[in-house]
Amino acid sequence: MRRGGLTMRIVAIADIHLGPDRHSVRGSASVRALDGFVQAVESEIRPDLVVDLGDRVVDVDPDADRERQHQIASVFAGISCPVLHVMGNHDAVNLARADNEQIFGQPMRCHSIDVGGFHFVVLDTCDPVLGGVGGAVSREQLQWLDADLSAASAASVSSVILCHHALCYHDISRNVLFKGIEPWAFASNREEIWQVVSSHPGVVLVLHGHLHWTTVERVGDVPCLSANSPVESWTTGGEVRGEYAVVTLSPGEGGLDVDFQVRRVFPPE
């Protein structure tokens, strides 16, 4: 079995959307949700890695967005384990990618890093943003991904892909956020992404956000998991529950077992 039987616990949060309330997104609840999230991570879960899957703000204007991104960065600074941040489409409306990188002190373009014996690949699905909502992965990124996964495969290291826009294929018609703009729920060239991924053994998980609901799907042999927004209310009967995901990768017969749990920072209001 690959990697000698290591176990990895990942906590994923997506679409924090700090800012004013818009539609079913309660941006005004973000600070309370994020504070509770960090407290749970530090006092209860103690994961190996925390991943922020993008869309940290409700975009307003450059000054407001920059201030809120700094506020979020200061809260994440209270987490003792490694944290990886992903670029979301709302993060790119008023701030350049370089601004986000400066605030969070890490790259927002495609890159990879090894944590706890696993290889984490961060894709930038806002390269470019499409229609203000959708996104794609550039040709240059696809070439980089091919080379990166090839090296990880040669080293027999299991890879986890992190991105903002969805790479899954399930029916989006019930999702009210994407009514009439269904294609923008997904990375527009996900077929090309999966062609690269499927050509290399060792990708064991994909984590993304953007959909504002929890989904679990297998694409080929790869679990593809979507984390809900902690401030979304249409999926929870109008309440805000501070949802996030805990994913545990552990040795199983013939490979890795993937356990996916939805947690809540606070109960319904």
Side-chain angles (χ1 to χ4, degrees), residues 8 10 118-122 158-162 202-207 249:
M8 165 68 64
I10 307 161
F118 287 80
H119 186 67
F120 288 87
V121 178
V122 178
S158 295
S159 297
V160 176
I161 294 177
L162 311 173
V203 176
V204 297
L205 177 65
V206 172
L207 284 172
L249 302 174

Side-chain angles (χ1 to χ4, degrees), residues 94-107:
N94 293 310
L95 299 179
R97 187 175 283 98
D99 295 323
N100 284 270
E101 291 175 335
Q102 186 276 325
I103 292 168
F104 289 92
Q106 61 182 250

Side-chain angles (χ1 to χ4, degrees), residues 9-11 38-50 79-81 246 263:
R9 178 170 288 184
I10 307 161
V11 175
V38 171
Q39 182 178 355
V41 164
E42 287 296 290
S43 65
E44 175 191 351
I45 305 171
R46 298 186 179 276
D48 301 294
L49 178 70
V50 169
I79 294 177
S80 55
C81 72
V246 178
R263 302 281 184 95

